[in-house]
Amino acid sequence: MDKRLTSWVEIPNNSDFSIHNLPFGIFSVGSGAKKLGIAIGDQVVDLYAVANLGYFDDIDLDKQVFLSDQLNDFISLGKPVTNTLRLKVQDLLSDDTSPLKEDNRVLVPQSEVEMHLPVRIGDYTDFYSSIEHATNVGKMFRDPENALLPNWKHLPVGYHGRASSIMVSGRNIVRPKGQILPPDADTPVYRPSSRLDFELEMGFIIGKKTQVGESITTSDAENHIFGKVLFNDWSARDIQKWEYVPLGPFLGKSFASSISPWVVTLEALEPFKVAGPEQDPEVLPYLNYYGAKNYDINLEVGLRPRHGEENMLSRSNFKYMYWNMAQQLAHHTCNGCNVNVGDILASGTISGKNPNSYGSMLELAWGGKKPITLSNGEKRTFLEDYDTVTMRGYCLKNGIRVGFGEVKAQILPVVD
Amino acid sequence: MDKRLTSWVEIPNNSDFSIHNLPFGIFSVGSGAKKLGIAIGDQVVDLYAVANLGYFDDIDLDKQVFLSDQLNDFISLGKPVTNTLRLKVQDLLSDDTSPLKEDNRVLVPQSEVEMHLPVRIGDYTDFYSSIEHATNVGKMFRDPENALLPNWKHLPVGYHGRASSIMVSGRNIVRPKGQILPPDADTPVYRPSSRLDFELEMGFIIGKKTQVGESITTSDAENHIFGKVLFNDWSARDIQKWEYVPLGPFLGKSFASSISPWVVTLEALEPFKVAGPEQDPEVLPYLNYYGAKNYDINLEVGLRPRHGEENMLSRSNFKYMYWNMAQQLAHHTCNGCNVNVGDILASGTISGKNPNSYGSMLELAWGGKKPITLSNGEKRTFLEDYDTVTMRGYCLKNGIRVGFGEVKAQILPVVD
């Protein structure tokens, strides 16, 4: 762990955006253009403004890269450039004698900015890598005695998701309509989903592309990962149930996904690595890995009903994942499938062992059988109109906090 | 049907690229930059060159749009512009007095150009819309008496595919490796696929985007479709079999897909519309449609072994599709999922009723049980290294031919 650093920027206690974090995002002010920023405390560092002052002159980049509506071009410069820049910003914000301290063009309060989708997403893949989640789903919908399917412990099961409808935190979600087979009915109907759910996930963003035919090894995987975000994989369970055999989830998921705006780099997360769960049976050699590849990231899901305060529904942790990101990426590319900068690979729902650590309403209310009572007395089995779901995540070790902020959205009713 | 037109460009008999077609593509000459072209006979019309001569001055566009490595920006101008341009080119190439006829800067022989992926693909969706194919697969892998799953006749089943590995015709395919459960084995191995297959499909390309929350009706669908290509959805059946339950096809497909380089516009295909098969049971209102929405497009698949001539494996037709493109697009967006210009939606394997019209080796050789004998005496159940697969497609009516050219690729062995 690096020694604890301080900054001349005032950073509130428990801020996710400590001097050790410095995540990247896309922001705009008023009607201004989108540009690249780094979060620090309650502020955004305007990277183009810093570049204009000459502080990045010794880094091999064109400052126009900071005037963009996505991080892709910046990320494509490669880790030698992006890491150098991040450490340079860390130096500038730590140095009490930095002239930046007196320059009012460089920091913008987060309260005054609008945040945007951080990357132009090429392909989006969703895994299913929490053994607790897969077991819970298997118990509910298949055989309680054989909850996991035969392939589950041999490979990180995944599927392609819809990239176009991934939205940044704060954009609200209209309840989807879809084809649904009502209980005991013979024929389906087209109507609004009545089993709308969230899924607590994290996503990682590809930082280095490959060509068709190349495979990424588990030991090289981290060189291809730029950073991570919180990911809410909204799911309409009734639409999904009717459509998903035999080709998998489709319209039950594709109406929307939400991600947090700040991309936390893998380098900022490095001190929070922990060992993953034991994998038994042993995995095939291409999925083998060495060293700690899981991350101790505290996760939580809050639900605020239209009239009432937020209820904490779940406290989970990313360290529970059975399959780690290196294994997911090695598996994804073991057939020669190529990846591009900006692709997102999400974890699948992250559930822990205890019922209060489950990552979806489906599991928390056990398919509708165990309704959740909110603090205002209302009950929930799935999400109701005007519910607001907020997911948060942070690492904490030796007093150092590196967090993700939040991904938040409200459910809006169908408008006909 | 329009009256039959002629052109001063010499067009070989049976050319797919008649004066009635005029499909769009991306080409380059030698080490030159990529640009937009239109195919006519054995030639390519260099659209930037035509624009430089002033012929498009009355069309509302910036000629820089023709100097691009993708059609997306051009397509995004909208059908009023792209259709006007196509008809203008048709006029210029029909008019025997056109000064273009004497200008040697405008036409480039197809033999001298390299063709590229025509669009930057955002999302790629694959449907499963041939009732003959779905029935064949159901008979082989599920219950011969109940080959179709309960949802199949109620909705066009589909799934998200991998966009990054879609390649243009002519790029060869390396046999993928992957996790496979050998017959009678308890644990999987990682090895090259031994059940490599093609799937004869067609894809359509989105021409007009929507926002999240919008749905496209069947009657408006054609306004959102720019055109069509041939699509080979390469499939590794052994990888697919082990991985696909419960979340659908993933690495068994994502190593490669191939498309034809010329995008045939919906307008060029208009004269070849035919009624689709009767749909029974009746579909839900949002899937209802009026008028002819199928297309009479002859399709064929040829296989050339390393030593020997091409064998015609299958002759099929796009008119067999149970679900049409308008229904696919209405279904895809009925939950508010947005589409972008350049997205590809593929049909799924197109099989006819007769065994010689099946669209995959899986069906043609019935899961390995009915090996195919080639003209050189070799047998095939799946594809062998160095096999070349070529798919072709064309419409023919009243002597007028509008075709797609071909999508062709050779299987290369795994290199370790």
Side-chain angles (χ1 to χ4, degrees), chain A residues 256-303:
Chain A
S257 308
S258 300
I259 65 173
S260 53
W262 292 107
V263 184
V264 178
T265 64
L266 220 54
E267 290 67 33
L269 296 170
E270 181 69 22
F272 307 100
K273 275 184 164 174
V274 291
E278 193 197 348
Q279 297 185 323
D280 178 25
E282 202 179 343
V283 297
L284 283 164
Y286 81 96
L287 291 171
N288 223 332
Y289 67 96
Y290 301 96
K293 297 278 186 196
N294 278 42
Y295 292 82
D296 183 358
I297 306 174
N298 301 287
L299 298 168
E300 56 183 48
V301 184
L303 185 154

Side-chain angles (χ1 to χ4, degrees), chain A residues 38-49:
Chain A
I38 279 182
I40 177 82
D42 290 340
Q43 309 284 318
V44 177
V45 180
D46 180 334
L47 291 174
Y48 185 70

Side-chain angles (χ1 to χ4, degrees), chain B residues 367-383:
Chain B
K369 290 181 183 155
K370 297 179 182 172
I372 299 162
T373 303
L374 305 182
S375 60
N376 68 355
E378 293 178 14
K379 289 190 188 299
R380 287 289 183 280
T381 51
F382 290 97
L383 297 171

Side-chain angles (χ1 to χ4, degrees), chain A residues 390-407:
Chain A
T390 306
M391 297 173 177
R392 300 177 187 88
Y394 64 94
C395 307
L396 187 59
K397 187 173 169 184
N398 301 335
I400 291 177
R401 183 168 169 129
V402 168
F404 290 80
E406 62 183 29
V407 57

Side-chain angles (χ1 to χ4, degrees), chain A residues 127-359:
Chain A
F127 285 95
Y128 187 56
S129 288
S130 154
I131 195 165
E132 291 80 8
H133 171 67
T135 303
N136 286 337
V137 171
K139 281 182 181 170
M140 269 183 268
F141 294 120
R142 287 182 291 267
D143 178 2
E145 302 302 309
N146 291 290
L148 287 182
L149 287 161
N151 57 11
W152 200 92
K153 285 189 167 185
H154 292 285
L155 56 82
V157 170
Y159 67 101
H160 306 293
R162 182 79 189 175
S164 70
S165 54
I166 298 178
M167 299 182 282
V168 74
S169 175
R171 287 197 54 186
N172 294 331
I173 306 299
V174 176
R175 178 178 298 274
K177 293 192 278 193
Q179 214 182 100
I180 292 162
L181 187 70
D184 306 320
D186 289 331
T187 55
V189 296
Y190 177 63
R191 70 180 187 197
S193 170
S194 61
R195 292 168 75 89
L196 183 56
D197 202 354
F198 59 80
E199 289 192 341
L200 170 63
E201 304 196 10
M202 299 199 76
F204 68 86
I205 293 174
I206 294 295
K208 186 179 168 190
K209 71 180 291 184
T210 58
Q211 301 298 323
V212 172
E214 280 184 65
S215 299
I216 298 172
T217 62
T218 56
S219 57
D220 195 35
E222 288 167 12
N223 295 323
H224 290 269
I225 302 175
F226 180 73
K228 288 180 66 61
V229 291
L230 299 167
F231 196 103
N232 185 345
D233 180 26
W234 303 99
S235 299
R237 303 296 178 191
D238 37 11
I239 298 173
Q240 189 182 346
K241 186 179 180 185
W242 172 235
E243 75 178 355
Y244 93 105
V245 178
L247 298 184
F250 186 46
L251 301 190
K253 303 271 192 178
S254 65
F255 57 95
S257 308
S258 300
I259 65 173
S260 53
W262 292 107
V263 184
V264 178
T265 64
L266 220 54
E267 290 67 33
L269 296 170
E270 181 69 22
F272 307 100
K273 275 184 164 174
V274 291
E278 193 197 348
Q279 297 185 323
D280 178 25
E282 202 179 343
V283 297
L284 283 164
Y286 81 96
L287 291 171
N288 223 332
Y289 67 96
Y290 301 96
K293 297 278 186 196
N294 278 42
Y295 292 82
D296 183 358
I297 306 174
N298 301 287
L299 298 168
E300 56 183 48
V301 184
L303 185 154
R304 197 181 75 233
R306 189 176 198 178
H307 305 291
E309 61 190 2
E310 183 173 273
N311 294 247
M312 200 54 59
L313 291 191
S314 176
R315 290 182 199 277
S316 186
N317 195 302
F318 189 63
K319 70 184 177 189
Y320 299 143
M321 302 307 292
Y322 188 86
W323 296 102
N324 60 53
M325 296 186 285
Q327 292 179 310
Q328 290 168 341
L329 195 48
H331 182 63
H332 204 314
T333 60
C334 78
N335 67 343
C337 177
N338 58 326
V339 294
N340 286 311
V341 169
D343 288 352
I344 293 191
L345 288 77
S347 57
T349 309
I350 303 161
S351 292
K353 289 196 192 312
N354 300 321
N356 59 4
S357 65
Y358 292 167

